[in-house]
Amino acid sequence: MSSYVYAAVRTPFGRFNGGLSGVRTDDLGAAVVSSVLARVPGLDPAAIGDIVWGNANGAGEDNRNVGRMAALLAGLPVSVPATTVNRLCGSSLDAVIMGSRAIETGDADIVLTGGVESMTRAPWVLPKPDRAFPVGDVTAVSTALGWRLVNPAMPKEWTVSLGEANEQLQERFGISRERQDEFAVRSHQLAHEAWEKGFYDDLVVPVDGTELTRDEGIRPGSTPESLAGLKPVFRKDGTITAGNASPLSDGASAVLLGSAAAADRIGTTPLARIAGRAAYALEPQSFGYAPVEAANAALARAGITWDQVGAVELNEAFAVQSLACVDAWPIDPEIVNQRGGAIALGHPLGASGGRLIGTLAKVLRESGQRWGVAGICIGVGQGLAVVLENEGDH
C-alpha cells in the first residue's frame, strides 16, 4: 500500500517579534488545521484516523501535546486522536514520515500531519534547585533555540552552538564567506520572485487577527555586497552572519495524507506519492551535513538515483551547511530551492518540514518533473529526507 499527499498549506512565516508574535502556538496550529481541511470540504473530519504534529520546543504554550490542542481548537471531533513528535528542526517532516507509515501499514486511511513553532513566544525556564531555598541568583534560560540545561556528562565538542558547529563545517569543506553570501542572495531573490509570480498564493494562508500575508523575512534588495558588510556572529574571524543563516521565525504548516482508496472520501486526487524516506545520524556538531546520507538512503528506498531527480527542497538552516550538502550530491544546484529557501522564507523549527513537502509537491506539478527530494538537517546530529513522486503528468 502507498501513501499520498492530498493537500498542503502553511501560514506566512513571521520574523522573531514580527507579524505572528501575538498568536499563541496552539492557535497557529489550529489555523492550518482548519485551512488544510477547508481545501477538502467533502472530507468528514471524523474520518481522520490520526493527527501527527511536529513541534521542537514544547516548553510554553505548545505544551501538553500541541497537536491535540490544535485539533480541538480547530473544532475537530473529539474522537480524532493526535500526537506531537519532536525531532527538533525535522519535527514536521518526521510527522509526515510517521503518518505515511501509518497509512502504508493499514493503521489509518487518512492522517493529518504538520507542525508549528513560535520562537518568539518560547518561554524562559528556571531549573528546579537541587535543594530547597538555595542562596544566590537563578538564571532564566531561553528556550527559543539551541542547547539549554546541558547535561555535564555530554562531551564539550558535541554541545557547541549551532553556529559554531557550522563554522566547523565551513573549515572542513572550505566553503567561503562569498559563496555563502551569494547563496543567501539567491534565496531572497527566488523567494521574492516566487511570491511575485503567485507561486505561494495557494500554499500560504493568513492567520485570522494578523495582517501578515507574505513571509516576513524576504529581503529582495539583498546583494553580495550588502551581505559582505555584516559582521560574523559566532567567531570574530568567522564566515556565518545574520545574512547567510535562517532567522528565528514563527509559523505553522499542515499536510493531509491518505491512501489511494481514501481519494473518494477526501474528494480530490493526490498531488504526490511518498516514495521513500530515511533518517541518518552522525556526530552532534556535524548535524548540518546529515541530510546528505539521509537523502541518499531515501532515494535507494524509492528505487531511483540522483540523475532522475528534478527538484530538491533542502531546508536552509545555514548557507554553509546547505552548500556542503548540495556539493555532496551529484545534482545541478539550480534544481535546489527553486522558489527560495529558509534563509529568506524563515525557519520556524517545527513547521519547516511541512513547508518543504508542500512546496516540493507543487514544484513537481508545475515543472512536470517526476521525482523530488525534501531534506532537512536537525540539531544534535541528525537529518531526514523524503522522496516524492509526482502523481500528475510527467
Side-chain angles (χ1 to χ4, degrees):
M1 184 184 297
S2 292
S3 56
Y4 298 85
V5 175
Y6 278 87
V9 300
R10 65 177 178 89
T11 68
F13 286 173
R15 290 185 69 88
F16 191 84
N17 279 328
L20 296 181
S21 61
V23 186
R24 287 175 56 108
T25 318
D26 45 10
D27 285 329
L28 283 175
V32 290
V33 169
S34 296
S35 293
V36 77
L37 293 180
R39 300 291 173 88
V40 287
L43 173 64
D44 178 0
I48 297 171
D50 203 0
I51 294 175
V52 187
W53 209 249
N55 178 244
N57 200 328
E61 293 160 344
D62 46 8
N63 74 90
R64 299 291 292 170
N65 187 357
V66 68
R68 174 66 168 169
M69 299 301 140
L72 294 174
L73 288 166
L76 269 64
V78 296
S79 59
V80 177
T83 188
T84 299
V85 299
N86 182 353
R87 206 191 287 249
L88 301 180
C89 301
S91 295
S92 55
L93 196 60
D94 210 12
V96 169
I97 288 172
M98 294 172 69
S100 66
R101 287 196 190 112
I103 290 165
E104 292 171 26
T105 58
D107 287 346
D109 210 30
I110 300 169
V111 179
L112 177 56
T113 68
V116 65
E117 209 76 48
S118 176
M119 300 179 80
T120 299
R121 299 174 74 90
W124 293 279
V125 298
L126 286 175
K128 288 186 175 180
D130 293 331
R131 58 187 176 84
F133 309 114
V135 176
D137 297 332
V138 179
T139 300
V141 179
S142 173
T143 64
L145 180 70
W147 293 90
R148 76 290 303 250
L149 306 179
V150 179
N151 191 314
M154 282 280 187
K156 296 298 183 185
E157 63 269 21
W158 285 2
T159 62
V160 297
S161 72
L162 303 179
E164 169 58 25
N166 276 274
E167 289 287 10
Q168 294 178 18
L169 204 63
Q170 184 276 326
E171 289 182 325
R172 176 180 170 186
F173 292 105
I175 297 170
S176 69
R177 164 78 181 269
E178 290 73 24
R179 278 193 74 197
Q180 294 176 54
D181 287 348
E182 289 168 359
F183 183 86
V185 168
R186 175 183 182 268
S187 184
H188 284 285
Q189 291 176 342
L190 291 178
H192 176 70
E193 179 182 310
W195 269 110
E196 290 297 298
K197 291 183 176 179
F199 175 83
Y200 286 115
D201 288 353
D202 63 350
L203 283 176
V204 178
V205 292
V207 179
D208 287 346
T210 71
E211 298 180 356
L212 193 64
T213 58
R214 288 192 178 190
D215 301 303
E216 201 169 14
I218 301 172
R219 300 289 182 264
S222 297
T223 65
E225 292 74 24
S226 66
L227 295 191
L230 298 176
K231 293 182 179 180
V233 175
F234 303 101
R235 292 183 183 179
K236 184 177 180 180
D237 60 346
T239 63
I240 298 173
T241 71
N244 58 36
S246 60
L248 302 182
S249 308
D250 308 329
S253 63
V255 180
L256 183 67
L257 305 177
S259 66
D264 288 342
R265 279 190 289 165
I266 294 172
T268 187
T269 56
L271 303 173
R273 180 176 72 91
I274 295 178
R277 59 206 164 214
Y280 187 76
L282 32 62
E283 302 86 353
Q285 69 272 27
S286 300
F287 74 93
Y289 197 64
V292 172
E293 292 304 327
N296 289 341
L299 285 171
R301 290 170 186 173
I304 64 168
T305 53
W306 276 111
D307 60 351
Q308 296 169 268
V309 173
V312 175
E313 285 293 321
L314 174 65
N315 194 59
E316 299 168 355
F318 296 84
V320 64
Q321 61 82 206
S322 300
L323 287 164
C325 293
V326 173
D327 288 350
W329 293 323
I331 58 173
D332 178 356
E334 292 304 309
I335 73 170
V336 179
N337 299 351
Q338 299 169 66
R339 305 300 187 274
I343 289 173
L345 301 172
H347 178 24
L349 309 179
S352 287
R355 175 189 72 79
L356 296 175
I357 292 294
T359 301
L360 181 61
K362 186 170 182 184
V363 167
L364 292 175
R365 300 280 283 193
E366 286 196 348
S367 67
Q369 295 288 334
R370 181 174 181 180
W371 301 100
V373 176
I376 196 165
C377 69
I378 301 164
V380 202
Q382 298 192 82
L384 287 176
V386 170
V387 176
L388 292 186
E389 182 183 17
N390 179 9
E391 283 296 293
D393 296 331
H394 46 74

